[in-house]
Amino acid sequence: MSRQRLTVVLSQGQGKDPRKRSLEESIAAALLMEPGLDVSIVPYLYDLDADHTGRLFLESVPGDMLVLGWMYPRAAFWLLDRCDIKGHYGENLITPKAEVDDDDEEQEEPAPPKGVGAVNVPDRWIYCLDLRDHADYTVYVQEVRRVAAECVERRETQLKSWIQGNPTMVQLGRYMREEEPVVATPQFTSEQLMQAPQRRWYPVIDYSRCTNCMECLDFCLFGVYGVDKTDRILVEDQDNCKKGCPACSRVCPEQAIIFPDYKTPAIAGAPVGNIGALKIDLTKLFGGGDAMTMAARERDRELVADGREAVGLTVGIPKRQVDKHQEPKDDLDKLMDALDDLDI
Amino acid sequence: MPDDLTFLMGKFPAVLPGGLRYARNHMWARPEDGKLRFGFTSYAVRLMQDVYFLDWQVNAGDRVEMLQQVGHIETSKAVSDLFAPCAGAIVAFNQALLDDPSGVNVDGYGSGWLFDMDSPGDGLLSAQEYHQFLDENWEKTQRMIKGKINTED
């Protein structure tokens, strides 16, 4: 393992779905032949606890990293961040961007998120690819090659600018060495890496979107959330989280709380502004009520299951109007107009 | 058996078979071997149009409360979470739809059924009552879909 090489980590899917295994194996087999890559396989990322060898391995990776997994890239990236495996977010070219209809050329880029951001981000990049995007392994192999080339180019550009700027010997040494000695990088056997973990369930915070508003802290009555020394929100006690309950994610005004295993894309970390941007959300019509009502209902179910009193909408409900989502209006209008044209 | 009713969505006639019962979340119910079989009404299908993706997040046999979230659907025009039409146990899902969810569009009142429930079916409506429910809410529904109102209720 080296700072100069791209570490590719394949995070397996849960269960034994043969289609998933087959895609994973095809990708791994193809990448093992590629020069300049270190390829490793670990179990499902979300399930790795702090002591799991797979997690220790991930923590030991010093340079650029690419993670292939069965979840949205945003979910995987912030999951790593939560494990203190940090870097700059590398965009990939596989994940579909917001769908643009042919008759809708003026679609705007979603506004950049205004979150508090990650802290202590080292100078390396982390790319996450979603294995659910394609069934064809060659798509992933191509993208890994592209990312590897991008990382090399970035390092070379950096190196050139340093050389022109009269670098210190230490900097030069770091970049000129063929292979860095593997300092304090533990070697793990694949058996150790692949120990089957327990299934887990907990929220992951996307700090590029989180504004530290603390609404999740107020809403969750199970003690999952807390704050660090700098009063920054964090998932403090993830094992207090109630399996299957996504209520805090619904309450978050910035869509910053991700449950990677939840079925609803917006909660599972789908690109914000993508899913549903051009589709009508019929959830309310089909019995969902607004997000706050649903969240309170889900929380009540867990409270009662714990032998506590249901609190409905009386505790930890923000006073703000649930009216943040005005942007898609025009899209919805266009969509309904299209429906109208169909004689609805 | 009561006559079939038709609810006009603009020009589109949504047929409501008279012999079925209906839930306010736009599902129909029909007794089937001592269970209640549920599916989407033609009103719901018309709003959603072509079903692309259907996913359940409870297992067959699970007990559910009324309006508990049970799944998710994505269609050519819409996305939505799906909710239990009444309290009870969901005993079986229509396996054919998991392979090809477009069955909902092909035969929504027949082979495109969604799931069977062991449930007394409390709170279900007659076709007449469902028609009236649609009628009373049609204007609001159109406005909601068009995004003209965001803070109602």
Side-chain angles (χ1 to χ4, degrees):
Chain A
M1 197 171 341
S2 149
R3 210 178 285 275
Q4 305 288 332
R5 294 162 69 89
L6 176 65
T7 302
V8 177
V9 180
L10 218 156
S11 164
Q12 289 192 321
Q14 291 167 313
K16 298 191 187 311
D17 187 334
R19 283 167 301 184
K20 288 187 177 178
R21 284 288 176 272
S22 158
L23 179 61
E24 290 162 359
E25 284 164 11
S26 303
I27 294 172
L31 291 181
L32 282 172
M33 304 294 162
E34 293 280 320
L37 300 180
D38 292 311
V39 182
S40 294
I41 302 179
V42 298
Y44 192 58
L45 212 51
Y46 188 52
D47 292 337
L48 300 183
D49 64 34
D51 298 328
H52 194 283
T53 313
R55 168 110 162 239
L56 299 176
F57 160 73
L58 285 163
E59 288 170 5
S60 73
V61 173
D64 297 330
M65 177 154 59
L66 183 148
V67 177
L68 298 132
W70 299 93
M71 64 179 78
Y72 289 108
R74 192 163 73 91
F77 181 84
W78 290 103
L79 185 51
L80 290 169
D81 178 86
R82 156 146 188 83
C83 304
D84 218 25
I85 300 161
K86 294 163 181 283
H88 302 291
Y89 186 88
E91 290 288 347
N92 77 72
L93 301 183
I94 289 184
T95 304
K97 299 285 178 264
E99 294 167 31
V100 180
D101 274 0
D102 293 343
D103 56 353
D104 191 15
E105 290 143 15
E106 294 168 17
Q107 213 210 338
E108 290 168 25
E109 288 279 310
K114 50 186 174 180
V116 293
V119 287
N120 302 327
V121 179
D123 184 24
R124 58 103 166 250
W125 293 70
I126 297 179
Y127 296 76
C128 300
L129 308 188
D130 186 348
L131 291 172
R132 300 168 307 175
D133 283 337
H134 289 275
D136 177 5
Y137 77 95
T138 59
V139 175
Y140 294 99
V141 174
Q142 299 266 344
E143 178 65 5
V144 170
R145 286 188 188 128
R146 188 197 67 80
V147 168
E150 185 173 286
C151 291
V152 168
E153 195 184 326
R154 186 184 298 120
R155 282 193 294 266
E156 283 174 354
T157 310
Q158 220 169 25
L159 176 60
K160 278 178 195 150
S161 72
W162 277 3
I163 288 172
Q164 282 161 4
N166 192 17
T168 65
M169 284 310 287
V170 175
Q171 286 168 339
L172 261 184
R174 183 174 151 203
Y175 272 84
M176 298 307 281
R177 212 169 15 226
E178 257 309 278
E179 280 288 316
E180 282 198 353
V182 185
V183 182
T185 300
Q187 294 296 311
F188 303 107
T189 66
S190 58
E191 288 76 23
Q192 283 175 319
L193 289 179
M194 288 310 297
Q195 265 172 1
Q198 298 280 315
R199 297 263 172 116
R200 308 173 87 202
W201 178 268
Y202 53 93
V204 174
I205 299 176
D206 174 347
Y207 286 103
S208 76
R209 306 194 63 82
C210 173
T211 59
N212 218 33
C213 73
M214 304 290 169
E215 291 193 2
C216 48
L217 183 67
D218 290 343
F219 182 84
C220 176
L221 300 179
F222 302 100
V224 172
Y225 293 96
V227 292
D228 67 10
K229 286 176 191 152
T230 62
D231 276 347
R232 195 177 145 93
I233 190 83
L234 76 139
V235 177
E236 190 168 51
D237 206 340
Q238 63 187 37
D239 292 329
N240 281 351
C241 192
K242 300 295 178 183
K243 188 171 188 311
C245 176
C248 55
S249 175
R250 299 190 198 280
V251 170
C252 175
E254 304 296 343
Q255 221 175 308
I257 298 177
I258 300 170
F259 287 90
D261 284 352
Y262 201 72
K263 300 292 185 202
T264 307
I267 291 174
V272 174
N274 183 0
I275 300 297
L278 287 161
K279 295 193 176 188
I280 315 171
D281 188 348
L282 294 176
T283 295
K284 192 166 180 183
L285 198 65
F286 284 179
D290 59 51
M292 216 53 78
T293 311
M294 288 170 71
R297 208 192 282 157
E298 286 159 345
R299 183 177 62 178
D300 279 351
R301 193 178 304 135
E302 301 301 336
L303 284 169
V304 171
D306 269 7
R308 295 164 67 179
E309 291 279 318
V311 296
L313 287 160
T314 58
V315 179
I317 300 294
K319 299 208 167 39
R320 73 188 153 81
Q321 292 290 315
V322 190
D323 191 21
K324 298 267 185 182
H325 302 290
Q326 300 212 351
E327 305 83 17
K329 262 190 192 175
D330 292 343
D331 291 337
L332 289 178
D333 271 345
K334 282 181 203 166
L335 186 62
M336 261 332 267
D337 291 345
L339 277 177
D340 287 344
D341 292 342
L342 294 167
D343 296 335
I344 200 170
Chain B
M1 185 172 286
D3 290 341
D4 293 354
L5 301 178
T6 301
F7 180 78
L8 270 185
M9 304 165 75
K11 291 176 192 166
F12 177 82
V15 176
L16 313 175
L20 302 181
R21 292 159 79 196
Y22 294 88
R24 287 185 174 79
N25 69 344
H26 306 290
M27 290 182 189
W28 54 261
R30 175 195 293 132
E32 196 93 24
D33 297 333
K35 308 280 187 285
L36 274 181
R37 173 159 291 181
F38 287 89
F40 286 119
T41 66
S42 56
Y43 176 92
V45 175
R46 179 59 189 168
L47 288 178
M48 296 188 293
Q49 310 214 0
D50 296 337
V51 180
Y52 289 168
F53 186 71
L54 181 64
D55 196 16
W56 301 112
Q57 54 208 63
V58 295
N59 298 312
D62 286 356
R63 292 201 65 78
V64 293
E65 295 158 43
M66 182 169 175
L67 296 185
Q68 179 180 332
Q69 185 170 348
V70 295
H72 186 80
I73 193 166
E74 185 173 351
T75 71
S76 55
K77 295 292 179 190
V79 291
S80 183
D81 294 332
L82 299 175
F83 302 88
C86 51
I90 296 187
V91 290
F93 290 100
N94 184 350
Q95 290 299 321
L97 289 189
L98 297 182
D99 298 330
D100 182 7
S102 66
V104 169
N105 300 99
V106 177
D107 186 13
Y109 285 117
S111 61
W113 60 279
L114 296 172
F115 47 77
D116 287 336
M117 284 186 78
D118 199 350
S119 164
D122 292 338
L124 294 176
L125 310 173
S126 68
Q128 181 65 47
E129 288 166 331
Y130 181 57
H131 187 283
Q132 189 179 342
F133 172 72
L134 294 182
D135 201 30
E136 286 165 4
N137 288 285
W138 178 233
E139 197 139 322
K140 193 168 118 190
T141 300
Q142 287 181 90
R143 263 187 297 145
M144 192 196 84
I145 291 171
K146 290 197 178 194
K148 298 291 185 210
I149 46 172
N150 293 283
T151 54
E152 86 288 33
D153 302 339

